[in-house]
Amino acid sequence: MEKLTDARRKALDDDHIRNLSRMEQANTDVLVHSSEIPGGYTVPPHRHRRTQFLCVFAGVVLVGTERGRWMIPPGHALLIPRGLEHSVEMLSDVSMRSVYIYSPEGRAASLVPTVLEVTDLARQLITETVRQDDLAEDRGRSELVMALLLDEIGRLPERRLGLPFPASGRLAELCRDFVEQPSPVAKIDDWARRLNMSRRTFTRFFRQETGVSFVTWRQQACLFACLPRLAAGEPVTRVALDAGYESVPAFTTMFKRMLGASPRAYLTSRAAA
C-alpha cells in the first residue's frame, strides 16, 4: 500500500464531492456507483438522501459514525441508513460498489447500519447492474436485474461486524484505546476500577452506553484488529498470537463464532468470490 501524496488526496476529495453532488441531484430511485480507491484514504464525513448499500469486492473498509464503527471485509456490505453522517476509511486498496436506494421499503427502511454477507448471486447482480449502467443497455432488462438485486439484498444474512461506541466521555476513550491495542483477556474489573465503579455498576453502564455486553464488545474489537491483517495475507498463527490469544484454536473458535467459518475457510471463500 503506497503512501498517498497531498495532491492525490485532494484529487480523491474532489472526486468525492463531484460524485456526491451528482448523486444527490439525481431523480432516479436507484443509483449504482463503482469505486477503486487506494488504501490510506478516508472519505470525509457526509450523508446521503438515499439508503446506501456499500459492497466491498476487495480490501477492507471501516465506516465510522459518532456512535460506532462498522468493518466491511471482502464479500460483505454495509447498509447505511439515509441521512446518517459517516466517513469511510480504506484500510487497504479497495474495490467497492454502492447501490443507493430511494425507496423507504424493506431493508432500505433500516435505521441502523447493518453488515451483510454478500451472496454469489448478489455479487453477480451488482456487477451486471454496474455494467448495464455504463453501457446504457436495454431498459427493460436493466429494471429486471435491479428488481432481483433489491430482492436479494433483502435476503442477505447479517454479520456481527459492527463495533458500537459510547458517544463521549472516559468510557469512549477507553474503548478507542482498546481498539488500538486489543486484548482478548481484558478484564471487566480493570475497566471498572479505571472508571471508579463497582463491577455491577460498570457492566450495567457499559451495556447502556453500547447496547452490548463488555465480553461481546471485546470480541468484536479483537476481530476488528485481526481482519485487515488476515485479508492482507498475514499467517493466521502470527495474527492470533499478536492479538493475545494463547493458541490458534482459541482464536479460531472466536472467529467461527463471529463469522461462521474458520479464518482459512473464510478467507478462501472470499478469495474465490
Side-chain angles (χ1 to χ4, degrees):
M1 187 172 72
E2 296 182 6
K3 184 176 181 180
L4 292 180
T5 64
D6 290 341
R8 179 61 171 142
R9 288 183 187 277
K10 184 179 185 308
L12 290 167
D13 285 341
D14 291 343
D15 284 344
H16 165 68
I17 292 173
R18 283 194 296 269
N19 289 327
L20 182 61
S21 176
R22 175 180 60 82
M23 289 184 291
E24 292 302 290
Q25 293 176 20
N27 294 321
T28 309
D29 287 341
V30 182
L31 295 171
V32 293
H33 182 66
S34 178
S35 305
E36 310 292 329
I37 305 179
Y41 177 68
T42 299
V43 178
H46 63 286
R47 53 171 57 92
H48 307 284
R49 66 188 181 98
R50 296 175 175 83
T51 297
Q52 181 182 6
F53 178 76
L54 193 163
C55 178
V56 177
F57 278 25
V60 179
V61 166
L62 188 64
V63 175
T65 73
E66 64 176 9
R67 292 295 294 174
R69 297 196 237 186
W70 286 263
M71 177 170 284
I72 319 172
H76 290 74
L78 180 68
L79 200 68
I80 305 174
R82 69 193 73 224
L84 177 66
E85 185 174 76
H86 60 283
S87 61
V88 185
E89 181 181 354
M90 315 303 153
L91 301 184
S92 61
D93 293 343
V94 170
S95 175
M96 61 185 181
R97 313 287 183 265
S98 286
V99 182
Y100 298 90
I101 309 167
Y102 189 75
S103 170
E105 300 177 356
R107 266 207 164 127
S110 174
L111 300 177
V112 180
T114 307
V115 179
L116 305 171
E117 183 173 349
V118 178
T119 60
D120 291 341
L121 176 58
R123 180 186 177 90
Q124 292 301 324
L125 289 170
I126 293 170
T127 301
E128 181 64 15
T129 300
V130 172
R131 189 185 73 83
Q132 291 190 8
D133 187 63
D134 291 339
L135 299 177
E137 290 190 347
D138 178 69
R139 182 178 178 83
R141 186 175 191 277
S142 297
E143 290 177 350
L144 289 173
V145 171
M146 185 63 73
L148 183 55
L149 172 59
L150 296 180
D151 181 77
E152 184 67 8
I153 288 174
R155 301 170 184 269
L156 298 179
E158 295 185 12
R159 289 291 177 251
R160 294 182 296 173
L161 291 174
L163 190 65
F165 269 79
S168 60
R170 178 58 178 153
L171 181 58
E173 294 178 13
L174 291 178
C175 288
R176 295 184 188 282
D177 289 344
F178 184 86
V179 170
E180 295 298 323
Q181 291 185 314
S183 169
V185 295
K187 305 296 185 182
I188 291 178
D189 291 336
D190 292 339
W191 283 49
R193 190 178 306 110
R194 294 171 72 176
L195 293 181
N196 295 318
M197 294 180 179
S198 68
R199 178 188 178 94
R200 182 175 180 179
T201 299
F202 172 80
T203 55
R204 184 169 59 247
F205 175 65
F206 192 93
R207 185 178 286 277
Q208 289 174 345
E209 289 291 305
T210 65
V212 298
S213 71
F214 175 80
V215 172
T216 297
W217 188 92
R218 182 185 63 193
Q219 291 175 336
Q220 291 172 321
C222 287
L223 188 61
F224 259 52
C226 296
L227 266 180
R229 296 180 60 185
L230 292 171
E234 291 193 41
V236 174
T237 299
R238 181 193 303 164
V239 173
L241 296 179
D242 286 351
Y245 285 85
E246 295 182 357
S247 66
V248 173
F251 175 74
T252 298
T253 298
M254 180 278 299
F255 198 97
K256 291 175 70 174
R257 184 184 304 120
M258 300 294 289
L259 287 176
S262 69
R264 288 191 176 87
Y266 172 83
L267 293 171
T268 299
S269 67
R270 293 303 105 203

